[in-house]
Amino acid sequence: MSTEPVSAVPPRPTEPDVSLSAPTRRTFIATTTAVGGVAVAGGVIGGSVLVGSQDAAAAVAPTSRVSLTVNGTRRTVTVDNRTSLLDLLREHLDLTGSKKGCNAGACGACTVLVDGRRVNSCLTLAVRLEGAEVTTIEGLADGDQLHPLQQAFIDEDAFQCGYCTPGQILSGVGCIKEGHTGSPEEIREWMSGNICRCGCYVKIARAVQQTAGK
């Protein structure tokens, strides 16, 4: 029988004092979650203060008085300087024929004529049109007499859902005035900014060419 003494079991290392060390991942997450909850609650509780500050900012937005002729009638309005011509027509003058499609100048549904030239009204600031003459689809006909291109669209059945039609017609009128109607291919090129999701391009080009020939 061995008489060698049994070596003592080494003591376990003591845990570091977490109270003085850097926060652990668990405590960090718990702390940030708690702080975030307080911030959200504060935003809800103080919602009236936040809304009030937004209203105050909106109240001081710069405005301008602009006078322009729309479909032969002189109109004077005071608008926010950020107002587009499209919103001026639709929201202030109740001329809803010009459609808001993409609101980014990519579809052509909002096309109108400004001083005889076609523009995307969603990209045109109203305050820059002092003294300008604007023609929308509502002012294209002469009383009960349709504009020749409007009649051509009917004759050629150049529309389906009709949403893009006002912009297509105004763009077609501009295209004819610009002299870009030598061939269907030329018409398609110069009206390529007007999208028809129903795919009536062949009939649209035919209507424009028919009107240009007259």
Side-chain angles (χ1 to χ4, degrees):
M1 181 174 181
S2 176
T3 59
E4 293 182 3
V6 179
S7 60
V9 178
R12 297 180 61 184
T14 58
E15 295 290 337
D17 187 356
V18 296
S19 62
L20 299 178
S21 62
T24 64
R25 180 174 178 273
R26 180 175 298 175
T27 57
F28 175 79
I29 293 175
T31 303
T32 53
T33 302
V35 172
V38 171
V40 171
V44 173
I45 295 172
S48 60
V49 177
L50 296 177
V51 172
S53 63
Q54 292 173 354
D55 291 343
V60 297
T63 60
S64 296
R65 191 175 179 84
V66 58
S67 296
L68 65 166
T69 301
V70 181
N71 298 330
T73 302
R74 192 70 172 175
R75 308 297 292 264
T76 300
V77 292
T78 299
V79 295
D80 186 313
N81 287 354
R82 300 164 294 181
T83 301
S84 67
L85 173 58
L86 178 60
D87 285 338
L88 171 66
L89 295 172
R90 292 180 59 85
E91 307 299 334
H92 295 264
L93 303 182
D94 294 326
L95 296 172
T96 57
S98 303
K99 302 306 181 186
K100 181 176 286 190
C102 64
N103 207 33
C107 73
C110 67
T111 303
V112 299
L113 300 179
V114 176
D115 294 331
R117 300 178 64 240
R118 47 186 172 158
V119 302
N120 289 322
S121 58
C122 71
L123 298 182
T124 305
L125 288 176
V127 294
R128 301 188 63 183
L129 299 179
E130 178 67 32
E133 293 190 8
V134 179
T135 302
T136 71
I137 192 67
E138 290 91 344
L140 203 56
D142 183 9
D144 294 333
Q145 182 67 39
L146 293 178
H147 185 280
L149 187 53
Q150 289 177 304
Q151 187 62 54
F153 263 65
I154 295 173
D155 295 341
E156 297 294 337
D157 194 23
F159 53 89
Q160 187 166 322
C161 76
Y163 193 84
C164 74
T165 304
Q168 297 280 1
I169 291 176
L170 268 298
S171 185
V173 170
C175 190
I176 293 171
K177 288 184 177 180
E178 295 160 14
H180 299 304
T181 57
S183 66
E185 291 75 21
E186 184 179 12
I187 293 171
R188 286 197 293 269
E189 174 67 24
W190 286 91
M191 290 187 61
S192 59
N194 290 80
I195 296 175
C196 174
R197 292 175 173 84
C198 300
C200 297
Y201 296 111
V202 173
K203 295 180 179 180
I204 290 172
R206 189 182 300 155
V208 173
Q209 191 170 36
Q210 172 187 314
T211 303
K214 294 181 179 179

